[in-house]
Amino acid sequence: MLSTPIGRLRLVALVEAVSYLVLLFVAMPLKYVWDLPLAVRVAGAVHGFLFVAFVVALFRAADARSWAWRRSALVFATSLVPFATFWIDRSLREEDLAVAHVRS
């Protein structure tokens, strides 16, 4: 999975997506229901770092595969919608497998 730019993008995107869900569905309730703002501070910082890593991986994959701006924008947009990253991952996996098949 880590041997191609798309594989690295997929990994970072999935970890970033999980951190987003933790922020939304664990840290936010801890802050607003149980008055524990530290949860959002910690989860938010981790998620922020992972989001920046995702954007870097997206630029690298888009450059390596010469994606049209629309493809890059779609992948980026899925990172903003909870659970959408898991939907686009299938398309990324298929593209990565197709590229690997052509190389072998």
Side-chain angles (χ1 to χ4, degrees):
M1 182 177 219
L2 294 174
S3 62
T4 66
I6 293 176
R8 289 185 287 276
L9 171 61
R10 288 181 60 221
L11 177 63
V12 172
L14 292 173
V15 173
E16 186 270 341
V18 170
S19 78
Y20 188 32
L21 295 175
V22 168
L23 178 61
L24 290 176
F25 298 114
V26 176
M28 295 294 280
L30 285 173
K31 178 179 180 177
Y32 291 108
V33 176
W34 290 285
D35 196 31
L36 295 170
L38 182 62
V40 169
R41 246 182 278 151
V42 171
V46 170
H47 173 67
F49 172 80
L50 290 168
F51 185 76
V52 171
F54 165 77
V55 171
V56 169
L58 174 59
F59 276 115
R60 289 182 176 169
D63 183 52
R65 297 295 307 140
S66 300
W67 283 347
W69 71 269
R70 287 182 179 167
R71 173 75 166 153
S72 299
L74 174 65
V75 174
F76 179 79
T78 62
S79 73
L80 304 176
V81 179
F83 301 103
T85 300
F86 304 107
W87 169 77
I88 198 71
D89 183 63
R90 180 179 181 179
S91 171
L92 293 172
R93 183 182 70 239
E94 289 171 358
E95 182 176 347
D96 202 23
L97 290 173
V99 170
H101 181 67
V102 170
R103 287 185 184 162
S104 58

